[in-house]
Amino acid sequence: MRKNYFALFVLILITSFSFAQNGNLQGVITDDNGITVPGATVIIEQLKKGAVSDFDGKFTLVDIPEGNYNILIKYLGYADYKEAVTVTAGQTVSVDIHLASENTELDAVEITSYSIGGQARALNTQKNKTNITNIVSTDQIGKFPDANIGDAVKRIPGITMKVDQGEARNIIVRGLAPQLNSVTLNGSRIPSAEGDNREVQMDLIPSDMIQTIEVNKAVTPDMDADALGGSVNLITRTSPQGFRLSATAGSGVNSITGKRILNGQFLLGDRSDNGKFGWMVSASINDNDFGSDNFEAEWTDEFEYNNGDEDNLEEVDVNPYTNVFEIRQYLVQRIRRSFSANLDYKFNDNNSVYFKSIYNWRDDRENRFVLEHEILDGEDIEAGDFSVDSNGNLTMFPVEAKRETKAGIDNNRNKNTRLEDQRMFNFSLGGNHLANTLQIDWMASYAKASEERLNERYLVHESAYTINYNNDSQFPLYTPVNAADAAYNNFEFDELTEENQYTEETDMNVFVNFKLPVNLFNSEDGFLKFGVRGRFKNKNRDNDFTEYSPEDAAFDLLGTLPTKNYTDPDFLAGSQYQTGTFATPEFIGSLNLTDATQFEGEDLVDEYQSGNFDVNENVYAGYIMTSQQLTSKLSILAGVRIESTNLDSEGYRLTFIEEDEDAGIDEDIIVEAVSETNSYLNILPGLHLKHDLNDNTVFRFAWTNTLARPNYADLIPRAEIINEDNEIVLGNPDLDPTTSMNFDVMAEHYFKSVGILSGGVFYKKINDFIYTYQTETTDDTYGDDTTGFEVYQPLNGDDASVLGFEFAFQRKLDFLPGFAKDFNIYLNYTHLTSDANGIRNEDGDERDDLGLPNTAPNMFNASLGYANNKLSVRLSSNFSDSYIDEIGGNAFEDRYYDKQFFLDFNATYAFGNGLSAYTSLNNITNQPLRFYQGVSSRTMQREYYGQRFTIGIKYDLFKK
């Protein structure tokens, strides 16, 4: 074994230093506007040697014998370009290559764009990748009406998104849950501001701050392995090769509130006269004043009442009915800001450094008004309090009703709303170096994400009355039997609370890669690449919760407080849902809760303490891989990655002491600090094959091994009691990471007119997947009155499998006559099936009726566009099928995320000289967010957002 290592070391030395008599060639490829061109194939015709330009348009060819050569540039959709170069021994020659738009006639196909478009950039890059990848460029993003990067990503084959307030937030790749996928920024993992998981909030990042989206569905050994479903790499804009100024200004309106939308963006960049120093700064802002109309329901098939013996309640057989029903109205303002500054400096032909930065800051202000009804406990229901019809439908019963206002304090930041302040920044410093034939690249980055919610206030009043239930499972509704009983001014004070929440995650990354030419099969295109990476992460959460009791009777009745009727006759869920009257946010925000003469505060540790934690996770990784050209058409990339994970977690465990007067024991809560350590090693081999049938047709195969680490909060031995929802959340320090062996086969055909037809099959064999086990407490172990609480705890399942196929087609219909040749089509479809073993119900029995949670079986994108030199118009649709979102204690309790179909329209008109106008209309179909319980007809939630209309102008100035 030592002899093998020594032989490898000698090979590296010989490869690196024995070619002093040879030289190197580096270059940058740009278009008419000085914008770099990625994905171009660069070939030295006299040698069997080539390279592909990276996302910055740069390419490097090493170990070239001294002499004169012709280099050939091949770019899909453009005529081949040749340029003569002279290579000098012991030196690196630098060339600048300009692909001119006037030379774009290819095989009688006329390319009418004035510069290389986004689709050409993306498809050329995708075509020349070794692994299975989808690429979307910034120009393609601009063809869709997507304000944040999450809405843009959902257009990619095999991807769907979970939404929050109508905006795409968490990414699902090939049907796998968000926590099983990774999101990186320029190759470094983006930290998450979510309190209890690793999911990255994609709606935090504006789409116009990103240059390219790269979705790696089969990762290579030089990539982080925690990408079980896939890895989404967001690449920020880089410095231009010449002067560039871009600005956008727009406005719009939300149909649900009738309030305005404001957005603006600018970009400014240039390069020094000697070409060594480049810079670019950009900023973006989007101010959106909107909301949502919502109703929610919980379902049960059990009913019991007090027939005179409250210790032995009488059960009644009834059909499933809604035992909890809520009408919710949200008023939301989101202000999304983003700033970026990127610099690069070229010391000489062999050494350059760069600095990239981005700062995202989003304010989410929200007021929420909730009218909640919940059936009374069985011991409080008597024989004459309810009615059941001849079909077994419960039609009337008594409920406890609550009217709740969510608000915040009155200052310049909160403005009487709940303010969720989310921030994420990333600073990266890196370099590229060439030492003889040894290529070195390195990067060090520091990133942080945080979410702060200060002075979040809730005022609740309650009442009790009897309701009629409509037994409509799609649109359930409670209506009071006697309207006077449900009058808002009869609601009595229940609780007044204030909470503060802060979650923070920091992420430090350091990596270095080395690349050498190593040719094992008589080819000049082979290389050996190896490197190391360290990732050092900390995540912590610090929350508190205080309940306040007024010292006087002013709060006793809702009717005596400042109130407002928020009923909207145009409530999008239906005019039958009347929100009613609530305490105003302005009143709640004005309260001085720290005044002891007005309020008595009680710190409720059981509401928050067990949810606080501090976790350190260090990952040390190394890899080695080689790429070899087996034949002129067949290449192989093989290697192995090793990742060592070390985790230290600190949290809290709460023990509830019940009162025992005889023993002299008072009721108490004991808070105990707990800590755990965990470590594991993963060895992850990979193999990629690529066969070029011809210049435009590619076949790919990949065998990869990936993993997904457990959520931080899940690993802490904690017990979090959520009294408001009758829920208990437990940790599990014994969780194992989820691992997967993946197989992919893909075929791609690229059209010369810039388009693609592709299809493929993928299979994943998953071990130790994590699901949330649900059961129910049978006693008060977790505190007084916690009997019957739902208990949620993460557990490892046994194994699961995912089998699927995907199809994509996009091209311009330039084979049609007349104006029809300017139409273009964008289609993709993904179908998958899954199977999971080891999921247990509330009785501990294994369930055989479930696939893998969060696995959408069908996903589909389609758009029809028209574009000429002036006008671009596009109608776009996005469909994702229903899937199980949360596993219940049994099949009846399972929660499903319903299917969604979005239809959007946008248009752009170019006036010339860089000036254009745009307009868009989003969510034409008014698609709601919907969950259902057990069966599709049983609605758990319907939330509507209405349409969003925007209009604006854009200016682009290029100067080489």
Side-chain angles (χ1 to χ4, degrees):
M1 182 64 71
R2 290 183 178 178
K3 290 182 179 179
N4 292 337
Y5 287 140
F6 179 74
L8 178 61
F9 178 69
V10 171
L11 176 64
I12 292 173
L13 287 179
I14 292 174
T15 306
S16 181
F17 298 109
S18 65
F19 296 103
Q21 70 272 27
N22 294 344
N24 302 322
L25 177 65
Q26 284 190 337
V28 177
I29 305 175
T30 59
D31 68 3
D32 280 344
N33 294 322
I35 304 299
T36 55
V37 177
T41 302
V42 183
I43 302 172
I44 297 181
E45 292 187 290
Q46 296 91 328
L47 304 173
K48 293 185 292 183
K49 188 180 287 290
V52 177
S53 60
D54 63 17
F55 285 107
D56 297 326
K58 298 177 181 178
F59 66 90
T60 302
L61 291 162
V62 300
D63 187 29
I64 305 171
E66 185 174 35
N68 298 319
Y69 299 96
N70 289 320
I71 58 174
L72 173 66
I73 312 298
K74 299 176 73 68
Y75 204 72
L76 183 69
Y78 287 76
D80 293 348
Y81 175 83
K82 294 183 179 181
E83 184 162 322
V85 297
T86 299
V87 176
T88 304
Q91 295 184 17
T92 298
V93 178
S94 182
V95 296
D96 293 324
I97 295 174
H98 169 57
L99 292 186
S101 60
E102 58 265 21
N103 298 322
T104 58
E105 187 172 321
L106 179 62
D107 295 341
V109 176
E110 183 181 358
I111 309 298
T112 58
S113 59
Y114 287 104
S115 63
I116 297 175
Q119 186 172 345
R121 284 181 163 83
L123 291 182
N124 274 278
T125 303
Q126 180 174 317
K127 174 176 176 288
N128 288 310
K129 282 279 188 178
T130 302
N131 62 322
I132 297 172
T133 308
N134 289 113
I135 308 291
V136 178
S137 73
T138 182
D139 290 349
Q140 285 177 293
I141 295 170
K143 291 180 180 179
F144 299 99
D146 302 323
N148 72 67
I149 204 66
D151 282 314
V153 168
K154 74 182 182 185
R155 312 284 181 184
I156 297 174
I159 290 181
T160 187
M161 304 291 297
K162 286 187 173 182
V163 302
D164 176 73
Q165 289 295 340
E167 295 186 328
R169 168 164 287 195
N170 302 121
I171 186 169
I172 297 174
V173 181
R174 285 180 163 176
L176 296 181
Q179 64 266 26
L180 301 181
N181 308 303
S182 70
V183 182
T184 60
L185 189 71
N186 302 316
S188 291
R189 188 71 182 257
I190 297 178
S192 169
E194 295 282 356
D196 55 2
N197 58 57
R198 298 174 182 264
E199 299 172 12
V200 174
Q201 298 157 312
M202 301 287 282
D203 57 347
L204 185 60
I205 305 172
S207 60
D208 50 17
M209 299 298 286
I210 300 301
Q211 174 177 292
T212 305
I213 304 171
E214 178 186 31
V215 180
N216 294 287
K217 295 178 177 176
V219 299
T220 53
D222 57 345
M223 300 177 186
D224 285 340
D226 54 346
L228 197 146
S231 173
V232 180
N233 187 28
L234 308 178
I235 301 169
T236 57
R237 297 177 183 272
T238 56
S239 307
Q241 296 300 304
F243 178 80
R244 185 182 182 188
L245 170 64
S246 175
T248 302
S251 186
V253 65
N254 286 290
S255 66
I256 191 169
T257 60
K259 294 185 177 180
R260 87 303 179 259
I261 302 169
L262 298 174
N263 67 277
Q265 178 265 343
F266 88 90
L267 179 149
L268 182 64
D270 201 358
R271 187 161 294 275
S272 61
D273 292 339
N274 61 10
K276 289 191 172 185
F277 176 65
W279 60 273
M280 186 277 299
V281 293
S282 62
S284 173
I285 186 169
N286 179 270
D287 186 346
N288 193 5
D289 212 329
F290 62 112
S292 61
D293 294 342
N294 168 311
F295 70 80
E296 301 186 13
E298 295 179 20
W299 295 81
T300 184
D301 56 1
E302 299 177 353
F303 178 77
E304 56 187 11
Y305 70 98
N306 185 350
N307 200 22
D309 182 3
E310 65 179 29
D311 294 326
N312 295 282
L313 300 178
E314 189 81 19
E315 295 184 0
V316 180
D317 290 331
V318 295
N319 294 322
Y321 68 98
T322 299
N323 62 323
V324 178
F325 177 71
E326 298 179 355
I327 302 174
R328 297 183 172 209
Q329 185 172 353
Y330 292 83
L331 300 176
V332 181
Q333 181 192 28
R334 282 184 178 171
I335 303 177
R336 185 185 295 111
R337 317 166 187 86
S338 188
F339 311 91
S340 179
N342 296 328
L343 313 171
D344 64 78
Y345 186 78
K346 182 178 180 181
F347 294 99
N348 52 47
D349 290 336
N350 293 330
N351 299 281
S352 63
V353 294
Y354 62 85
F355 171 78
K356 291 188 175 185
S357 65
I358 189 169
Y359 185 93
N360 299 294
W361 175 17
R362 188 184 74 179
D363 284 339
D364 185 294
R365 296 185 175 93
E366 179 184 294
N367 288 126
R368 187 186 72 188
F369 309 96
V370 180
L371 173 59
E372 176 190 296
H373 298 87
E374 182 173 3
I375 191 170
L376 296 184
D377 294 334
E379 57 264 28
D380 297 322
I381 302 176
E382 298 180 354
D385 295 339
F386 66 94
S387 62
V388 180
D389 67 16
S390 59
N391 295 318
N393 296 316
L394 193 63
T395 59
M396 183 188 74
F397 48 85
V399 297
E400 178 185 59
K402 294 183 179 181
R403 291 187 176 273
E404 175 193 84
T405 302
K406 177 198 286 189
I409 62 174
D410 181 15
N411 61 21
N412 291 333
R413 291 281 294 141
N414 294 66
K415 299 181 179 179
N416 300 308
T417 68
R418 184 277 286 137
L419 173 62
E420 185 177 81
D421 183 331
Q422 293 180 332
R423 307 189 188 202
M424 188 279 289
F425 64 79
N426 181 291
F427 303 123
S428 302
L429 179 66
N432 295 281
H433 310 278
L434 186 58
N436 292 324
T437 60
L438 177 64
Q439 298 179 59
I440 306 169
D441 69 274
W442 60 273
M443 188 178 73
S445 69
Y446 177 73
K448 177 180 176 180
S450 64
E451 178 180 288
E452 184 177 56
R453 294 165 61 161
L454 300 180
N455 306 109
E456 183 174 338
R457 295 180 173 182
Y458 295 84
L459 176 59
V460 183
H461 285 74
E462 64 180 359
S463 184
Y465 45 83
T466 302
I467 60 92
N468 290 317
Y469 171 52
N470 70 347
N471 277 286
D472 185 340
S473 61
Q474 287 279 359
F475 291 88
L477 180 65
Y478 287 2
T479 54
V481 172
N482 187 335
D485 293 340
Y488 78 90
N489 51 348
N490 293 330
F491 278 63
E492 299 176 349
F493 176 79
D494 179 32
E495 64 178 14
L496 172 63
T497 63
E498 180 177 272
E499 56 187 286
N500 298 284
Q501 302 180 29
Y502 182 76
T503 303
E504 165 185 291
E505 181 174 315
T506 58
D507 197 312
M508 295 182 63
N509 273 271
V510 180
F511 71 75
V512 59
N513 299 310
F514 303 91
K515 184 178 178 181
L516 283 165
V518 173
N519 306 304
L520 304 178
F521 297 94
N522 193 31
S523 168
E524 296 297 326
D525 272 344
F527 66 80
L528 175 72
K529 187 177 181 182
F530 55 95
V532 293
R533 176 191 284 266
R535 192 173 76 200
F536 313 101
K537 187 185 293 288
N538 172 267
K539 186 155 191 169
N540 63 83
R541 182 165 63 183
D542 184 14
N543 298 346
D544 63 49
F545 188 98
T546 306
E547 183 173 359
Y548 292 91
S549 300
E551 294 291 351
D552 57 39
F555 286 76
D556 286 355
L557 293 175
L558 179 59
T560 63
L561 302 179
T563 57
K564 180 179 177 180
N565 186 348
Y566 289 90
T567 296
D568 183 357
D570 297 320
F571 197 80
L572 293 181
S575 59
Q576 68 271 31
Y577 298 104
Q578 300 184 13
T579 313
T581 300
F582 295 83
T584 64
E586 292 77 12
F587 167 71
I588 298 173
S590 68
L591 300 176
N592 183 6
L593 299 181
T594 60
D595 186 351
T597 64
Q598 298 184 61
F599 302 97
E600 179 184 356
E602 181 182 2
D603 182 24
L604 300 183
V605 295
D606 57 314
E607 291 283 352
Y608 68 89
Q609 189 66 67
S610 60
N612 292 338
F613 60 84
D614 193 325
V615 177
N616 290 296
E617 181 183 78
N618 297 328
V619 178
Y620 303 91
Y623 75 92
I624 185 169
M625 69 182 194
T626 183
S627 177
Q628 298 294 322
Q629 197 73 33
L630 302 181
T631 69
S632 61
K633 294 183 178 296
L634 178 63
S635 63
I636 182 174
L637 187 152
V640 62
R641 184 179 186 88
I642 300 176
E643 291 197 355
S644 173
T645 306
N646 301 276
L647 188 139
D648 297 309
S649 60
E650 298 178 355
Y652 299 92
R653 180 167 53 215
L654 273 59
T655 303
F656 294 82
I657 307 299
E658 293 188 16
E659 182 180 11
D660 188 336
E661 294 182 359
D662 296 336
I665 300 175
D666 295 328
E667 180 183 290
D668 196 9
I669 300 176
I670 298 176
V671 179
E672 178 186 4
V674 294
S675 62
E676 283 287 339
T677 61
N678 197 3
S679 63
Y680 45 89
L681 181 73
N682 295 98
I683 301 175
L684 306 155
L687 173 70
H688 300 259
L689 296 173
K690 179 185 178 187
H691 179 71
D692 296 311
L693 185 65
N694 52 50
D695 284 347
N696 295 318
T697 305
V698 180
F699 293 97
R700 306 178 193 268
F701 168 81
W703 167 62
T704 58
N705 290 270
T706 51
L707 64 93
R709 297 180 174 88
N711 292 324
Y712 309 108
D714 290 345
L715 293 167
I716 300 169
R718 66 190 180 99
E720 182 176 2
I721 289 80
I722 309 172
N723 289 303
E724 180 183 1
D725 299 324
N726 293 344
E727 295 176 353
I728 299 170
V729 180
L730 303 179
N732 184 357
D734 298 322
L735 284 175
D736 293 320
T738 302
T739 58
S740 178
M741 181 181 293
N742 317 295
F743 297 90
D744 293 82
V745 178
M746 182 70 69
E748 302 164 353
H749 177 73
Y750 294 85
F751 299 107
K752 293 181 179 180
S753 57
V754 188
I756 185 175
L757 172 65
S758 68
V761 179
F762 56 90
Y763 175 79
K764 296 179 181 292
K765 183 63 175 178
I766 301 170
N767 292 312
D768 294 320
F769 69 92
I770 297 172
Y771 74 100
T772 302
Y773 172 63
Q774 182 178 339
T775 186
E776 188 175 293
T777 58
T778 57
D779 53 35
D780 287 348
T781 299
Y782 298 100
D784 285 348
D785 299 323
T786 58
T787 299
F789 275 33
E790 296 290 337
V791 179
Y792 300 88
Q793 184 178 33
L795 296 178
N796 283 113
D798 296 337
D799 59 78
S801 62
V802 176
L803 175 65
F805 70 86
E806 55 189 29
F807 158 84
F809 174 75
Q810 57 175 297
R811 72 163 295 171
K812 187 175 182 180
L813 305 182
D814 46 20
F815 52 84
L816 296 177
F819 77 95
K821 68 181 181 180
D822 292 326
F823 281 96
N824 57 81
I825 292 177
Y826 180 94
L827 300 170
N828 60 69
Y829 170 71
T830 301
H831 172 78
L832 56 89
T833 60
S834 67
D835 181 67
N837 299 313
I839 298 176
R840 289 162 176 80
N841 63 19
E842 59 191 358
D843 298 322
D845 299 324
E846 184 171 346
R847 295 181 59 178
D848 58 6
D849 58 339
L850 291 174
L852 193 66
N854 293 293
T855 305
N858 296 287
M859 290 161 280
F860 178 71
N861 279 291
S863 74
L864 176 64
Y866 176 86
N868 57 31
N869 293 340
K870 293 288 187 181
L871 178 66
S872 175
V873 180
R874 184 174 295 271
L875 184 67
S876 310
S877 63
N878 173 266
F879 171 83
S880 61
D881 213 341
S882 58
Y883 56 86
I884 189 167
D885 175 70
E886 184 179 285
I887 298 172
N890 51 58
F892 180 84
E893 297 175 354
D894 292 340
R895 185 178 77 171
Y896 289 80
Y897 193 106
D898 201 6
K899 58 182 176 290
Q900 296 187 112
F901 177 77
F902 293 97
L903 188 65
D904 306 309
F905 170 83
N906 67 306
T908 302
Y909 185 81
F911 296 101
N913 296 320
L915 182 65
S916 61
Y918 68 89
T919 185
S920 67
L921 180 63
N922 288 70
N923 194 22
I924 296 172
T925 57
N926 190 26
Q927 173 65 51
L929 167 68
R930 182 177 182 267
F931 290 90
Y932 62 86
Q933 183 177 318
V935 296
S936 60
S937 61
R938 200 174 292 144
T939 300
M940 289 190 73
Q941 178 180 351
R942 279 185 186 266
E943 184 167 88
Y944 292 83
Y945 312 103
Q947 292 79 29
R948 183 174 70 241
F949 172 76
T950 58
I951 190 170
I953 58 173
K954 182 175 182 178
Y955 179 70
D956 255 319
L957 174 65
F958 301 91
K959 184 178 180 181
K960 295 188 65 177

